[in-house]
Amino acid sequence: MDLPRLISQMTLEEKASLCSGEDFWHLKCVERLGILEIMVADGPHGLRKQARGGDHLGMKKSVPATCFPTAALLASTWDRELVYNVGQAIAEEALQEQVAVVLGPGANIKRSPLCGRNFEYFSEDPYLTGEIATQHIRGMQSQGVGASLKHFAVNNQEAYRMMIDAIVDERALREIYLAGFETAVKQAQPWTVMCAYNQVNGTFCSEHAELLNGILREEWGFAGLVVTDWGAINDRVKGLAAGVDLEMPASRGFNDAKIVAAVRAGKLDERVLDRAVLRLLELIFRGQQNLRPDYHYDAEQHHQLARRTAGEGMVLLKNEGELLPLAPEAKIAVIGAFAQAPKFQAFGSSMINAHRAVNALDEIRQHARGSVTYAPGYALNSDAVDPALIEEARAAAVAADVAVVFAGLTDAYESEGFDREHMRLPDNHNALIQAVAAVNERVVVVLYNGAPVEMPWVGQVQAVLEGYLAGQAVGAATADVLFGTVNPSGKLAETFPLELEDTPAFGHFPEGPVSVEYRESIFVGYRYYDSARKTVLFPFGHGLSYTSFDYSDLELSAAQMEAGEPLTVTFKVKNTGSRAGKEIAQVYVHAAQTGVFRAEQELKGFVKVALEAGEEKTVSVALDARAFAFYNPRSSDWTVEPGAYEIRVGASSRDIRLTGELEIDGAAPAGPEYPAAVTASLAKGLIFDEAGFRALVGRPLPGNTVDPRQPLTLNSRVEDLQHKPIGRILYRLILRQMDEILPITGTEGDPQHTQQMMMRKVALDLPFRSFAIMNDAVNPVMVEGMLEIANGHVLRGMRTFLNGRRMNLGMKQK
Ligand code: BGC
């Protein structure tokens, strides 16, 4: 297809129209030129295809699909091939449903355990993130379905997500927040990248020329299309110039008209529009060509894949006295409502309408040959301790050989749209575990949650299995691991700190409403805990098996090499136990001599190796120059410093089994010259103080003070109406309208209620510019009128509002 020729046949209006969606899920078409519609759908851990007129946060049902384990668990498999298979399976479901692009995977870094969407992200480490994201994308695209790598970039908190300005220094940006995206883009070439809602260092991602045209396209060679997150566009024309091709969802013509006007007024070079249209057409035709109308996927096979993946990614955190695997003839007390009603995914745009949900209680009954009793122990819709339920559970535990307690985070805790407020389990879950541990000395805790929790009872129980949000086969996979049908091999892709106060972002997460300061710079996750020598609950990379492994014979391909050269790390891993198992061996690099601040060690390679009992294998991990480099703001490039390095091979970040010395030669590069405030701050600790951080980012910090007397703008949030006397009236009217559109019908604590509250929160958190286009009841002109009214220009505002209303009515009649 001669696309440039096709573009030359399009009118300016047609070209501009392609730059935004037709509705929530479809791109536009130009029938007269044979440009047909394609559909996109969420992502990331399964297909969430909604009917036309759907919503993007999951209130309306979507077609049944396989709910695969969420990203947090996928990453804990550290299994490149398996993740590829999951990506492929999701694409097969998309093919059946005629979906051209699936919106995922998410490659944002888990900056704090509290981020509400951590379950949708892979890791606190950019190397692991990049490797897993790459496989997810490759698998998906191998079937001719496009991926959408999201949310680019520095989208690490849900609070104020549409507006927040993430203030991050250049090294942290490159080394931590962009590195995973970089790997995935370079290795897998996703068809699309989705730009995030937030701002990065003062500029919205949706108009960040340096990030999009610069880093993503020119530097990394991204050849696909950039789409906005849903409602993320700020200034459409600026966005187009910065590299945003497609605005989603529909902006009902308002933003397309701005593009047309800008071209006509000579403010936007038409070639910029043509470039975007070319990418759009490439995507549309590619998507169209790959559709396979008669395709049917095998739901049973996908369920089995979901089960296998869940079993591979669950992490055995503790197993004192080899309590696990369970003996089938044991008398087992299954305790905790999650055993019967498992939590296996969370609310928001990723929520799948799962084909089925397998619970652990039924599966345990199938595996067990002894008696199995069950006590719920807590109510699902409340955090309050219920003494009667606890008593019942205690009685069950007393009578059993072993008690398996299911606990975790209920619906109200984890979701898109808001962050957790603390790192604790619900009170009734903690109380239940403690009560059971007091009467039985053989207690296994199974956790279903998307991110780390504090475990005040960890010393009182014998085994802990982190089951994460494991998808629809959750119960089967849990039983597989509990009974040893599957030998656990998952390892943590994130640190479990002892308590929230220990986390590096503590005090600066979440932050807002204006900005969030990434004061810990590169010291994210284990980079911080290891450098600060902090005790943690369970370290990054940790995970037990029912067998044991020995490491030996480390060999480096060179003891001395030039900066820029690659290195091969070879060693042996032996299964020293009596059953087959898999070990994830990790390779960390420690820079022993450095002129810049660096983390104690960084993950730069890993291998997952399957070994029969007694078997030994020699494995190799290749490290390229980047494995030794830091991002040098002085040269705007990656720099390898000459000097001594240590190569550490381990079973976790805190269980290093082998070390090797390496000397890198070369001329000392010119590194960054840090202002005195940076060095002074670092001398006090790894988390930068305000002066140090300001000096590190090199400009004034926006802070978080908002003057309520300032007029409201298109970038004020709907909630901000409450700051203005007349605004409060409008706010009440909006709430009343919401009661109709987004009614709260459930009672507090019910899943449905949580979901409805989440939707409301997201809606009220919208900036007016997004509120104006994502909500059919208003339009940008009406919203402009509302702002004028709220700002005290009542008559003028009324006129504008009524004009807008007429336009809206006119549109509806059409
Ligand atoms: C989310 C995206 C999602 C999109 C479409 C947004 O609110 O941030 O991850 O793909 O909605 O549902």
Side-chain angles (χ1 to χ4, degrees):
M1 171 84 56
D2 184 351
L3 296 181
R5 195 160 155 264
L6 189 60
I7 296 174
S8 71
Q9 292 168 353
M10 294 170 76
T11 65
L12 177 59
E13 284 75 8
E14 282 169 342
K15 289 192 284 190
S17 83
L18 278 190
C19 296
S20 64
E22 166 71 23
D23 57 25
F24 260 94
W25 305 117
H26 296 87
L27 271 65
K28 295 213 190 82
C29 55
V30 183
E31 269 174 45
R32 77 174 182 93
L33 296 173
I35 302 169
L36 302 177
E37 179 182 273
I38 58 166
M39 180 175 195
V40 303
D42 278 302
H45 56 265
L47 184 73
R48 191 176 67 98
K49 180 192 173 183
Q50 289 190 318
R52 266 183 203 276
D55 64 283
H56 74 305
L57 288 173
M59 285 296 273
K60 303 230 173 83
K61 273 250 156 120
S62 44
V63 298
T66 311
C67 179
F68 289 96
T70 60
L73 185 143
L74 271 189
S76 323
T77 67
W78 300 59
D79 189 327
R80 295 179 174 93
E81 197 183 324
L82 195 57
V83 174
Y84 181 98
N85 293 340
V86 170
Q88 190 172 9
I90 296 173
E92 286 169 6
E93 305 205 3
L95 284 179
Q96 173 173 311
E97 297 299 336
Q98 312 292 302
V99 168
V101 175
V102 179
L103 306 175
N108 297 97
I109 290 294
K110 302 182 199 226
R111 178 177 172 241
S112 158
L114 296 187
C115 172
R117 284 186 100 168
N118 272 1
F119 70 95
E120 282 190 70
Y121 301 142
F122 295 123
S123 176
E124 66 188 24
D125 178 81
Y127 176 79
L128 183 55
T129 295
E131 289 298 301
I132 300 293
T134 295
Q135 297 308 322
H136 188 116
I137 298 166
R138 280 189 181 155
M140 193 170 263
Q141 296 191 166
S142 70
Q143 298 306 298
V145 172
S148 194
L149 182 63
K150 65 190 188 182
H151 309 91
F152 191 64
V154 206
N155 179 182
N156 310 97
Q157 71 176 48
E158 287 301 281
Y160 311 105
R161 66 174 178 164
M162 308 282 297
M163 296 297 304
I164 196 79
D165 187 2
I167 308 296
V168 58
D169 72 276
E170 206 176 345
R171 279 195 58 202
L173 179 67
R174 293 293 195 142
E175 294 179 25
I176 307 292
Y177 296 100
L178 296 186
F181 284 99
E182 177 178 2
T183 304
V185 165
K186 287 182 173 168
Q187 294 189 8
Q189 275 295 344
W191 290 13
T192 76
V193 165
M194 184 191 292
C195 71
Y197 286 126
N198 51 287
Q199 307 177 55
V200 176
N201 292 331
T203 306
F204 279 103
C205 290
S206 63
E207 55 196 42
H208 211 303
E210 193 189 329
L211 265 182
L212 303 176
N213 281 339
I215 296 175
L216 179 65
R217 288 205 161 99
E218 275 161 37
E219 228 181 89
W220 299 348
F222 174 61
L225 167 140
V226 174
V227 54
T228 64
D229 198 344
W230 270 227
I233 203 74
N234 178 51
D235 179 323
R236 185 62 188 104
V237 176
K238 250 195 198 170
L240 197 64
V244 171
D245 308 302
L246 174 63
E247 171 198 0
M248 283 302 278
S251 59
R252 287 177 287 148
F254 284 95
N255 280 338
D256 307 348
K258 286 186 190 158
I259 296 175
V260 172
V263 172
R264 293 237 160 89
K267 291 187 181 145
L268 179 74
D269 188 337
E270 194 165 353
R271 281 172 305 185
V272 172
L273 175 61
D274 289 353
R275 202 178 53 190
V277 173
L278 179 65
R279 293 188 197 117
L280 277 151
L281 293 179
E282 278 165 359
L283 180 76
I284 292 171
F285 284 109
R286 203 175 191 185
Q288 275 290 338
Q289 260 159 27
N290 286 301
L291 290 181
R292 289 160 54 188
D294 299 324
Y295 187 84
H296 287 288
Y297 69 88
D298 183 335
E300 181 52 36
Q301 220 177 49
H302 286 190
H303 180 75
Q304 291 311 329
L305 175 62
R307 174 179 186 164
R308 198 149 53 81
T309 310
E312 286 283 306
M314 290 186 177
V315 186
L316 182 61
L317 295 175
K318 174 174 179 176
N319 193 20
E320 216 173 82
E322 297 189 4
L323 177 56
L324 291 176
L326 296 175
E329 45 290 325
K331 277 201 290 187
I332 305 171
V334 175
I335 293 169
F338 272 178
Q340 199 168 36
K343 172 97 179 129
F344 60 91
Q345 60 173 338
F347 284 133
S349 59
S350 68
M351 187 99 174
I352 306 296
N353 177 12
H355 282 301
R356 52 179 136 148
V358 178
N359 73 54
L361 180 58
D362 290 346
E363 294 289 318
I364 289 175
R365 286 199 167 118
Q366 280 185 24
H367 278 75
R369 288 200 292 274
S371 77
V372 176
T373 51
Y374 168 67
Y378 50 82
L380 282 169
N381 59 1
S382 160
D383 287 3
V385 177
D386 181 329
L389 289 178
I390 298 256
E391 203 33 57
E392 184 198 1
R394 207 197 312 249
V398 167
D401 297 334
V402 55
V404 185
V405 186
F406 288 79
L409 296 175
T410 51
D411 287 325
Y413 280 74
E414 285 174 300
S415 170
E416 178 173 342
F418 58 86
D419 301 306
R420 274 192 294 162
E421 284 165 13
H422 58 76
M423 224 174 74
R424 297 188 301 276
L425 287 174
D427 288 347
N428 46 358
H429 292 219
N430 276 334
L432 176 68
I433 298 170
Q434 268 148 350
V436 170
V439 298
N440 193 316
E441 282 178 355
R442 291 158 61 81
V443 177
V444 181
V445 174
V446 176
L447 292 171
Y448 292 151
N449 48 300
V453 291
E454 292 166 15
M455 301 182 200
W457 35 258
V458 73
Q460 293 150 254
V461 303
Q462 287 63 49
V464 182
L465 176 66
E466 176 51 76
Y468 278 111
L469 299 179
Q472 68 181 43
V474 53
T478 306
D480 288 343
V481 173
L482 289 177
F483 287 94
T485 322
V486 166
N487 188 354
S489 64
K491 295 206 180 195
L492 293 179
E494 61 192 330
T495 310
F496 274 49
L498 282 171
E499 51 187 10
L500 184 62
E501 287 70 11
D502 290 344
T503 58
F506 183 69
H508 294 280
F509 187 99
E511 240 181 349
V514 179
S515 68
V516 45
E517 294 173 5
Y518 285 45
R519 292 276 191 97
E520 70 285 2
S521 179
I522 60 162
F523 296 106
V524 177
Y526 72 88
R527 284 170 167 72
Y528 169 70
Y529 303 112
D530 291 350
S531 308
R533 313 253 184 275
K534 262 206 184 302
T535 307
V536 298
L537 181 57
F538 295 109
F540 176 83
H542 169 75
L544 303 173
S545 161
Y546 297 148
T547 185
S548 49
F549 302 97
D550 260 8
Y551 289 60
S552 67
D553 300 301
L554 174 66
E555 274 178 33
L556 306 183
S557 56
Q560 196 165 6
M561 64 184 207
E562 286 298 311
E565 285 180 358
L567 182 81
T568 307
V569 181
T570 307
F571 51 96
K572 288 183 182 154
V573 186
K574 181 170 186 183
N575 182 345
T576 50
S578 55
R579 61 167 78 208
K582 290 179 191 166
E583 171 68 337
I584 298 161
Q586 301 149 45
V587 178
Y588 295 86
V589 172
H590 163 72
Q593 285 169 306
T594 170
V596 290
F597 60 89
R598 290 185 82 159
E600 168 63 23
Q601 55 183 2
E602 296 180 18
L603 179 79
K604 296 299 174 187
F606 63 85
V607 54
K608 187 164 188 173
V609 46
L611 295 164
E612 294 300 325
E615 193 187 1
E616 182 171 64
K617 276 186 190 161
T618 301
V619 293
S620 286
V621 171
L623 302 183
D624 58 11
R626 181 65 75 81
F628 306 95
F630 73 98
Y631 188 81
N632 190 346
R634 180 119 175 234
S635 59
S636 299
D637 204 354
W638 295 85
T639 295
V640 177
E641 292 172 287
Y645 288 80
E646 190 173 73
I647 307 301
R648 300 174 175 174
V649 178
S652 89
S653 59
R654 294 267 169 115
D655 184 6
I656 299 299
R657 306 286 185 87
L658 307 166
T659 55
E661 308 292 320
L662 172 73
E663 189 68 32
I664 296 189
D665 300 329
E673 280 170 3
Y674 292 121
V678 170
T679 342
S681 175
L682 272 174
K684 286 185 260 163
L686 299 177
I687 313 297
F688 284 94
D689 59 22
E690 192 181 344
F693 188 65
R694 199 180 324 118
L696 184 68
V697 295
R699 47 199 182 85
L701 302 173
N704 271 309
T705 340
V706 186
D707 181 355
R709 288 163 309 183
Q710 288 294 319
L712 297 179
T713 68
L714 282 172
N715 269 326
S716 305
R717 293 174 312 133
V718 176
E719 250 184 23
D720 295 337
L721 278 173
Q722 294 172 95
H723 298 316
K724 304 279 172 196
I726 311 178
R728 283 195 275 276
I729 303 173
L730 289 174
Y731 188 66
R732 276 200 294 276
L733 290 173
I734 290 178
L735 285 186
R736 211 176 292 160
Q737 203 208 11
M738 268 189 194
D739 282 338
E740 279 169 37
I741 308 173
L742 295 174
I744 307 284
T745 51
T747 47
E748 202 176 323
D750 282 345
Q752 198 190 17
H753 182 265
T754 309
Q755 190 180 17
Q756 290 163 341
M757 294 302 285
M758 180 272 288
M759 294 285 291
R760 259 205 190 195
K761 182 159 180 2
V762 168
L764 296 175
D765 219 27
L766 288 177
F768 282 100
R769 60 176 155 82
S770 312
F771 181 73
I773 55 174
M774 293 188 63
N775 171 2
D776 277 350
V778 289
N779 62 29
V781 182
M782 288 164 80
V783 166
E784 198 187 310
M786 283 164 63
L787 289 175
E788 284 171 342
I789 296 171
N791 288 331
H793 309 293
V794 179
L795 281 178
R796 197 169 79 205
M798 290 290 282
R799 268 199 304 274
T800 316
F801 183 84
L802 289 173
N803 271 342
R805 188 137 188 278
R806 268 193 295 277
M807 288 166 70
N808 233 28
L809 290 175
M811 274 186 163
K812 275 187 191 144
Q813 271 155 20
K814 268 191 219 159

